[in-house]
Amino acid sequence: MLIRSMFKQNRSWILGYSIGTSVYLFFLAAIFPSIQETGLIEAKLESLPKELLDVFQIDATMAMDNILNLLSSNYYGLIFYVLAVLFALTFASKLLAKPVDSGEIMLYMAAPISRVTYIISSFVILLVAVGLFVGLNGLSLMMADLLFDLQIDYSVLWMLQLNGALMLLVLGVAAYMTASLFDDSNKSYMVTGGIFTFFLIVNIINGVSEQFKWMSNISFFSLFDAPAIMREEFWGVHFIWLFGLLFILSACSFIRFTRKDLTI
């Protein structure tokens, strides 16, 4: 009952992210054959500085080979990172920061609904939101493949979706944990946004020069490497790290929220 109620309250932003990104992917896939025939984008990419291509994780020699190669640099690069940050911030804000700030969460506690029930329900909503996000993304590309014969490798496609799903879950739980540290939703939003922005900047700097490669070790975003998946250089190590982070951050969120002072 609580999960159903929470989903109804949050379905607008969940469907907004899921449907919006899926429509974008479908139309990009639909026009890909025309783009590929002209060769203009490929020539433009080859003329750009290597450092700039590295920042956006673009392999100019492979970008136009197939739609997934294009998406690995177009959508599953910086665009996805930014969307993932906004998605995580929205989740933490809607499910914890604002309810605590407004006192709404105290109504749940008075229902009575235990803190354990509330946090588990919040995480179920996160799972549903992530499932819709990556699920509709994958299905939209499969539909485009059936309509336009794009020769998509479905195993690679769903590996991208699974890696993206784990990234969204980790960021969502991380944002939730950070939100549990504050009673002010604005402060929570700024601190979490600042941390994620730092990770984004680190990821960008990492692509500028070989001297900064070590910085990838301190950014969550280095654990989602779409070009590596496309080159079949992905052996699941990132999955292990993401599962580990998900478990640790979930445990920290659970402990912090169950001990949090919720007095108004």
Side-chain angles (χ1 to χ4, degrees), residues 26-46:
F26 179 83
F27 280 105
L28 187 60
I31 64 174
F32 176 74
S34 300
I35 297 174
Q36 193 177 35
E37 286 180 6
T38 63
L40 294 176
I41 292 183
E42 189 172 11
K44 184 66 176 178
L45 289 175
E46 291 177 350

Side-chain angles (χ1 to χ4, degrees), residues 74-94:
N74 176 280
Y75 176 74
Y76 294 108
L78 192 60
I79 293 176
F80 183 80
Y81 298 156
V82 172
L83 285 172
V85 166
L86 295 175
F87 178 91
L89 289 175
T90 304
F91 163 71
S93 175
K94 296 287 188 179

